[in-house]
DNA sequence: CAGATTTAGTTTCAAATGAAACCTTTTGCC
DNA sequence: GGCAAAAGGTTTCATTTGAAACTAAATCTG
């Protein structure tokens, strides 16, 4: 990893590399899911989590998907309009809604999930399982380090 | 890497992990550079590349920084207004502008570059040099794989 | 060398984003 | 219980983003 005169090389600057790689992958995935299922990334994340974990509240979904509550609210509204999720009032708490996949939503999930995995598999063809394990670990640690540093800056 | 009933686990889905990690890091960096130097990420990338490689055209900067030409145009306008870069007409091609750091821009670069590295160092404190080497390699390969797959989808 | 095409860059427009204000219900706390 | 503070969601607003249309200059092609 060579560094230029002033010490900084954009290409070797990890926040840059990370951003570029993430954008390339995100654009690819976003395009695929929009074209195939009419889902935005926030919407697809909600479907994935509801399919995976079962019904939940928006607040829980925010924590689970690391998305803003505004983003979750809008994705939930859109999915509700498409009858992919139901939003029943939460008996336990009058402020919140209980979200769950409808039958149609479950059918979509059953189709989307394998497709997502197949797409991931194609993207990651050239990576060995240990490499992927390493990648996951590094990404998690990076995320934690960034959050820790952000917290330290208050 | 365990996978749920339907085979999909959001937490183990690499595009998701990548996006979350990149957002965490980007938000951190964006906040730091905005607070300290009043630079957006596109602006700071232009300053970094112009400081690193010397004068250039916008088109070259697009390729170099992987940013959209609209984004580069706007960042260049803003930096021009702050007199951090000069935009002289390009003798060789009447359509394009030659961009370069002004004296003030160079002074800023001389301050920003070490600060960026110091910040990166704090973020990456917990990573060993070989781990960072690995991370860079994996990110580059991911980026290439995503672009290759995108091209294949035309 | 005159038109057709491409390229550098800007502008316009519509969509996505998230911070802040807001409404409603719940939870402390006296 | 009653009132202040907090929490779940939604709405509003300002900002960011990039696709598409546009302008002007350069390059092909015949």
């Amino acid at each position: 990893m060579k560094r230029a005169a002033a010490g900084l090389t954009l290409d070797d600057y990890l926040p840059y590399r990370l951003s570029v790689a993430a954008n390339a992958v995100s654009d690819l995935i976003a395009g695929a899911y929009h074209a195939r299922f009419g889902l935005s990334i926030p919407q697809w994340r909600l479907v994935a989590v509801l399919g995976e974990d079962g019904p939940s509240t928006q607040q829980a979904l925010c924590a689970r998907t690391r998305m803003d509550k505004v983003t979750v609210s809008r994705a939930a509204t859109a999915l509700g309009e498409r009858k992919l999720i139901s939003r029943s009032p939460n008996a336990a708490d009058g402020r919140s809604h209980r979200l769950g996949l409808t039958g149609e939503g479950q059918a979509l999930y059953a189709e989307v999930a394998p497709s997502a995995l197949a797409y991931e598999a194609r993207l990651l063809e050239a990576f060995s399982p240990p490499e992927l394990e390493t990648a996951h670990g590094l990404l998690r640690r990076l995320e934690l380090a960034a959050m820790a540093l952000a917290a330290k800056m208050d």
Side-chain angles (χ1 to χ4, degrees), chain A residues 5 15 30 35-36 69-70 73 83 98-99 108 122 129 135-136 142:
Chain A
R36 226 171 290 180
K69 65 181 180 171
V70 178
S73 173
K83 312 267 189 207
R98 186 136 270 268
L99 309 190
L108 181 70
R122 285 189 69 187
H136 274 278
L142 264 174

Side-chain angles (χ1 to χ4, degrees), chain A residues 27-57:
Chain A
D27 288 354
L28 182 72
I29 299 283
Y33 291 110
H34 178 69
R36 226 171 290 180
F37 304 104
L39 295 175
S40 68
I41 285 190
Q43 289 168 18
W44 126 253
R45 283 188 187 174
L46 291 196
V47 170
V49 168
L50 292 173
E52 191 183 319
D53 296 354
S56 180
T57 62

Side-chain angles (χ1 to χ4, degrees), chain A residues 109-125:
Chain A
Y109 176 67
E111 203 184 341
V112 163
S115 162
L117 288 173
Y119 213 75
E120 185 197 31
R122 285 189 69 187
L123 175 67
L124 302 178
E125 255 169 7

Side-chain angles (χ1 to χ4, degrees), chain A residues 2 4 7-8 29 40 60 62 87 93 103-105 110 115-116 137 147:
Chain A
K2 240 176 296 175
L8 179 71
I29 299 283
S40 68
C62 288
R87 320 179 79 194
D93 186 333
E104 208 180 326
S115 162
M147 298 199 2

Side-chain angles (χ1 to χ4, degrees), chain A residues 4-154:
Chain A
L8 179 71
T9 307
L10 191 60
D11 283 334
D12 293 336
Y13 193 58
L14 194 124
Y16 171 70
R17 283 258 74 81
L18 185 60
S19 163
V20 169
N23 280 341
V25 171
S26 266
D27 288 354
L28 182 72
I29 299 283
Y33 291 110
H34 178 69
R36 226 171 290 180
F37 304 104
L39 295 175
S40 68
I41 285 190
Q43 289 168 18
W44 126 253
R45 283 188 187 174
L46 291 196
V47 170
V49 168
L50 292 173
E52 191 183 319
D53 296 354
S56 180
T57 62
Q58 291 186 193
Q59 171 237 356
L61 290 168
C62 288
R64 186 73 175 69
T65 61
R66 302 250 161 232
M67 296 192 295
D68 192 84
K69 65 181 180 171
V70 178
T71 308
V72 169
S73 173
R74 289 197 265 242
T77 302
L79 292 173
E81 277 163 4
R82 284 179 61 187
K83 312 267 189 207
L84 295 170
I85 65 176
S86 61
R87 320 179 79 194
S88 31
N90 184 354
D93 186 333
R95 292 166 300 182
S96 76
H97 296 131
R98 186 136 270 268
L99 309 190
L101 293 178
T102 59
E104 208 180 326
Q106 286 175 21
L108 181 70
Y109 176 67
E111 203 184 341
V112 163
S115 162
L117 288 173
Y119 213 75
E120 185 197 31
R122 285 189 69 187
L123 175 67
L124 302 178
E125 255 169 7
F127 295 80
S128 71
E131 280 176 335
L132 292 176
E133 208 64 51
T134 303
H136 274 278
L138 289 170
L139 290 173
R140 273 188 207 263
R141 285 168 60 201
L142 264 174
E143 179 191 339
L144 292 177
M147 298 199 2
L149 196 45
K152 210 178 293 179
M153 302 290 165
D154 4 304

